[in-house]
Amino acid sequence: MDRQRRHLIVFAAALACFAASTLAQVPWQLREAGWLAGEGQLEALSSEPAYDRGAVFQTAAQSDLAGQYPSQQALQHDLLVGEFLFKTPLLLGGQAARAGLSCNSCHVNGRSNPHFKFPSISGEPGTADTTHNFFSETLGNDVHDPVPIPDLTQAGKVSHDPVTGELETFLRTIVIEEFSAPEQSQAYIRPLASFVRALQLSNPTPLRRDRSARHDWHDAMAMVSTAMEEADNANTDLAALLLSGARNRMAAIHARLIRGKHDVEREWLISQSRNLANLQLALRADELTDSDVSKSYAAWQEGLATTPDFAAVQEQSLYNRAQLATLLEQ
Amino acid sequence: MTTLKIFETRNHKRAFALVLASTLIAAPITYVSAAGGGGGGGSSPSTNAPRYDPAEEYRAGVIALDAGDHDAAIDHFKRVTRAARRNPDAQYLLGVSYMRAGNFNRARRPLEAAVRYAPDMIAAQRDLALAYVELERMDDAQEILGELNTRSEACAQRCAETADLADAIRVVEGAVTGGGQAYVGPDISQLANAEAADALYYQAVGLINEGQYEAALDQLDDAALAFGPHPDILTYQGFANRKLARFDRAEAYYNGALAIAPEHIGALEYYGELKVERGDLEGARDHLAKIEVLCSFGCYEAEELREWIDNADT
């Protein structure tokens, strides 16, 4: 074999090996590709299990769960808070938050994730070592023992009976000990538990739906609304956390819009994210002033007047399966 | 000429070279983004510009070396050492590549450089001694053997590198006396295996999470041999040193990471925290401002550094 050809083969092998390495460069714009692997990667990036928020509320409202709340409205609000915390990476701490993982990364819309494969943490796709010291500061057991990621809509080993409080204890262990969240995250366990209970009560369809900018944008908008309700109730830390979830959702949209083609939409998202950042700062200020919060929120609302038509651009973006497939092939 | 044969080496514990900060030439060497625990880069117009990535080149060198394409490996490592002249891993593997190509004369300089920049790197000391033997510079080989013996005695079976030292001494003694086993170098196939190499990094970060900083530094040395001048690894070498209160070393590693990847948010965050610890709040705020620009949609690194600054303020 001549030298040039041998070099070419070695170079190709190098590229392949390097691409397989996590320390290689996962494109920032598709960060979740870093923990989705194998043949199902395209499927996992372009679709998700269907989730019917209204149906989940309705089932919960007709269950014992409703008895824990003074009103249907209070239940609905807590379920929204729980769902959005579930989708917020900053609920967690340490390496999980750095990597951009949320509960939803493993349990997509409450289901399992058969394509989840985090380097060194997963075994087969769809598994995770819950006692690895990469994520946990306290639970590391020095044994690589990944377990299948459970579907939270199905009955599991942990009792959901609110009387026992077993679910709350379990969630606390996961959030704070397994994923190194700060101790104050304990305050958010209740809505998270309600959401997980509601998931199990629901009878979700096995269907999947395409990932869409419309869904992601609606989620972001709903997160901001929910955050502002919390702010009105003086729960400013929770409000700021939910706003981080909204910004994360906007990042997901931004990630799939194409530079050079969707620059206006991308810039608009960044600008609106900055408005939310200012709102977060105003909420976290030592001396909370209504005017600062109002001013920042007004800037966000003003920005909404020029909301791009995401549904119109998504066909030409990485929400489009074919476009995404081309990128992944590259 | 001695017949070469493979044996494994690992766990060289790097001595500190404060010069690390200047190891990366200032030419347009930047890094696209760094994933993994060290944090990632945000998007900016400059990400479209062509960039040279010494870590990627280093990996290509490792793969070529593993495939037995010594010429290609030499080319890759040469380019890395031009970009990161004082990176001991790149110098070492350049030397190993020459040795495997049978060119001990050319191997000598990079191996000497590796030992100079990482005086505790046992594998580099061992291989340099072997190169000296091949070049019939027995006094130089004996001198290294003496250093290895001194370290081994000081270690007195209590160090993490006891076994590596004993192994190196055995090999060098054999070469010096002409009756020992021969050599080729480190287990490159392990370094070339992306999954195994990643695992080294994840294990190191796990040790950091558990507060085992010395052990983490050993593990990061191994990861660095697999990945070369990678900003994620340099960042955690800085972090572990910072936790051991070796602030100057930490700073040098952070600077090393930022020289390769100026937008590495993990390095910016941790370096900012170091500045808080040193009372340089203004410097820390500068870092926070940079991270906020890079993280258009918010990120954990910004939250963490902001908390450090806020806590120091109150």
Side-chain angles (χ1 to χ4, degrees):
Chain A
M1 190 183 302
D2 62 61
R3 187 181 166 192
Q4 195 178 10
R5 195 166 163 220
R6 207 171 63 212
H7 283 192
L8 269 176
I9 291 170
V10 170
F11 184 65
L15 279 180
C17 290
F18 192 67
S21 161
T22 323
L23 294 190
Q25 299 143 24
V26 175
W28 173 263
Q29 70 268 25
L30 274 180
R31 215 174 177 192
E32 56 200 301
W35 59 78
L36 296 170
E39 291 174 1
Q41 190 187 44
L42 176 62
E43 178 69 16
L45 286 169
S46 58
S47 71
E48 60 188 357
Y51 178 72
D52 185 341
R53 190 173 288 146
V56 172
F57 289 157
Q58 227 163 19
T59 316
Q62 291 161 5
S63 75
D64 291 347
L65 191 56
Q68 295 177 45
Y69 289 89
S71 66
Q72 294 277 316
Q73 198 184 8
L75 168 66
Q76 184 158 326
H77 177 75
D78 232 17
L79 290 180
L80 275 178
V81 171
E83 180 197 337
F84 295 148
L85 288 173
F86 193 83
K87 293 175 174 173
T88 296
L90 289 188
L91 169 71
L92 308 176
Q95 296 300 328
R98 282 175 197 281
L101 290 171
S102 67
C103 305
N104 199 60
S105 305
C106 285
H107 307 279
V108 186
N109 286 340
R111 315 301 291 271
S112 60
N113 183 350
H115 308 298
F116 184 86
K117 187 164 173 60
F118 199 98
S120 293
I121 308 299
S122 299
E124 292 300 310
T127 66
D129 181 354
T130 57
T131 50
H132 196 293
N133 59 5
F134 180 74
F135 287 128
S136 174
E137 292 169 8
T138 56
L139 296 181
N141 65 357
D142 291 331
V143 180
H144 186 54
D145 48 3
V147 294
I149 295 167
D151 179 343
L152 300 182
T153 65
Q154 305 299 312
K157 59 181 180 180
V158 178
S159 165
H160 281 207
D161 182 350
V163 177
T164 66
E166 230 179 272
L167 180 61
E168 281 78 359
T169 305
F170 182 68
L171 289 173
R172 187 198 171 284
T173 302
I174 291 175
V175 172
I176 294 171
E177 293 182 33
E178 188 179 330
F179 289 108
S180 307
E183 196 62 38
Q184 55 261 39
S185 292
Q186 183 150 355
Y188 310 136
I189 296 298
R190 179 187 151 113
L192 209 52
S194 289
F195 174 63
V196 172
R197 285 195 176 97
L199 282 174
Q200 203 185 83
L201 292 167
S202 68
N203 185 19
T205 163
L207 298 175
R208 294 179 71 85
R209 69 184 183 195
D210 287 344
R211 287 286 300 270
S212 79
R214 190 174 59 86
H215 279 133
D216 285 341
W217 177 241
H218 281 176
D219 269 5
M221 291 279 284
M223 284 175 170
V224 174
S225 299
T226 308
M228 293 316 291
E229 284 183 49
E230 290 298 334
D232 287 343
N233 294 328
N235 295 327
T236 51
D237 285 345
L238 176 55
L241 182 59
L242 291 168
L243 290 177
S244 81
R247 295 177 73 194
N248 185 260
R249 218 59 180 165
M250 291 160 71
I253 303 170
H254 183 270
R256 286 169 188 258
L257 300 182
I258 295 169
R259 197 192 304 270
K261 195 183 280 182
H262 304 129
D263 288 347
V264 172
E265 293 83 358
R266 285 163 60 93
E267 282 307 313
W268 182 87
L269 283 164
I270 289 174
S271 164
Q272 283 294 73
S273 174
R274 300 264 184 245
N275 285 332
L276 292 185
N278 290 335
L279 187 50
Q280 285 178 293
L281 286 177
L283 287 166
R284 286 173 176 149
D286 288 339
E287 290 179 24
L288 187 68
T289 61
D290 284 346
S291 65
D292 285 347
V293 173
S294 304
K295 208 170 134 188
S296 303
Y297 187 54
W300 157 263
Q301 285 188 304
E302 278 169 31
L304 292 179
T306 52
T307 303
D309 184 352
F310 290 120
V313 297
Q314 75 173 20
E315 273 310 299
Q316 294 302 312
S317 76
L318 297 179
Y319 282 102
N320 178 300
R321 194 184 176 96
Q323 299 249 6
L324 186 57
T326 305
L327 178 85
L328 293 177
E329 278 167 20
Q330 287 168 359
Chain B
M1 183 179 289
T2 308
T3 311
L4 302 181
K5 183 182 169 186
I6 294 177
F7 68 86
E8 291 189 10
T9 180
R10 58 177 301 279
N11 263 347
H12 51 273
K13 189 179 173 199
R14 209 56 57 73
F16 169 64
L18 192 61
V19 289
L20 190 140
S22 61
T23 63
L24 303 148
I25 62 171
I29 298 163
T30 48
Y31 197 75
V32 180
S33 73
S43 59
S44 68
S46 60
T47 51
N48 271 340
R51 293 179 169 199
Y52 175 70
D53 178 357
E56 188 169 1
E57 178 100 52
Y58 185 98
R59 283 300 287 171
V62 170
I63 306 301
L65 190 54
D66 183 47
D69 190 345
H70 306 132
D71 292 340
I74 288 166
D75 287 346
H76 287 304
F77 289 123
K78 263 186 181 173
R79 283 195 286 269
V80 179
T81 55
R82 278 186 212 122
R85 189 167 56 88
R86 298 191 186 211
N87 182 277
D89 301 300
Q91 294 285 4
Y92 172 58
L93 289 190
L94 176 58
V96 168
S97 302
Y98 276 124
M99 286 181 83
R100 287 198 173 180
N103 192 336
F104 295 93
N105 195 35
R106 286 283 177 92
R108 180 180 60 81
R109 278 185 185 279
L111 290 173
E112 285 174 344
V115 171
R116 188 159 59 249
Y117 302 135
D120 284 351
M121 191 177 184
I122 297 167
Q125 282 186 299
R126 178 202 61 210
D127 294 0
L128 177 59
L130 295 175
Y132 283 146
V133 170
E134 293 292 337
L135 297 170
E136 298 179 357
R137 291 174 55 168
M138 304 309 280
D139 288 351
D140 291 324
Q142 286 284 7
E143 189 181 328
I144 292 177
L145 184 58
E147 286 168 12
L148 288 169
N149 275 314
T150 303
R151 277 181 67 188
S152 180
E153 284 159 21
C155 227
Q157 308 296 321
R158 289 191 300 272
C159 306
E161 59 264 36
T162 296
D164 291 327
L165 281 166
D167 199 37
I169 289 166
R170 179 182 55 77
V171 171
V172 176
E173 273 176 347
V176 167
T177 59
Q181 293 180 334
Y183 157 87
V184 151
D187 182 354
I188 301 296
S189 63
Q190 273 294 100
L191 299 179
N193 180 314
E195 213 167 304
D198 271 346
L200 294 171
Y201 170 80
Y202 286 103
Q203 285 159 13
V205 178
L207 290 167
I208 285 175
N209 276 342
E210 293 178 337
Q212 299 185 56
Y213 302 115
E214 291 285 10
L217 283 169
D218 285 341
Q219 196 77 9
L220 285 167
D221 279 348
D222 289 349
L225 191 57
F227 287 107
H230 196 293
D232 285 358
I233 293 166
L234 290 165
T235 296
Y236 275 115
Q237 285 174 317
F239 184 87
N241 274 297
R242 192 181 112 219
K243 290 296 176 184
L244 292 165
R246 300 168 188 157
F247 288 175
D248 287 348
R249 296 184 194 193
E251 184 171 39
Y253 278 115
Y254 292 146
N255 278 322
L258 291 170
I260 300 169
E263 297 180 352
H264 191 277
I265 56 174
L268 285 168
E269 177 213 339
Y270 289 137
Y271 194 3
E273 290 174 8
L274 172 64
K275 289 188 173 179
V276 172
E277 286 188 279
R278 283 175 159 173
D280 178 10
L281 289 186
E282 201 174 323
R285 286 192 193 98
D286 284 347
H287 282 245
L288 178 58
K290 283 179 190 164
I291 295 172
E292 284 178 331
V293 169
L294 293 167
C295 294
S296 308
F297 297 94
C299 57
Y300 183 72
E301 288 81 353
E303 299 300 320
E304 284 286 285
L305 181 54
R306 185 178 295 110
E307 197 173 331
W308 271 73
I309 293 169
D310 288 349
N311 289 341
D313 260 345
T314 52

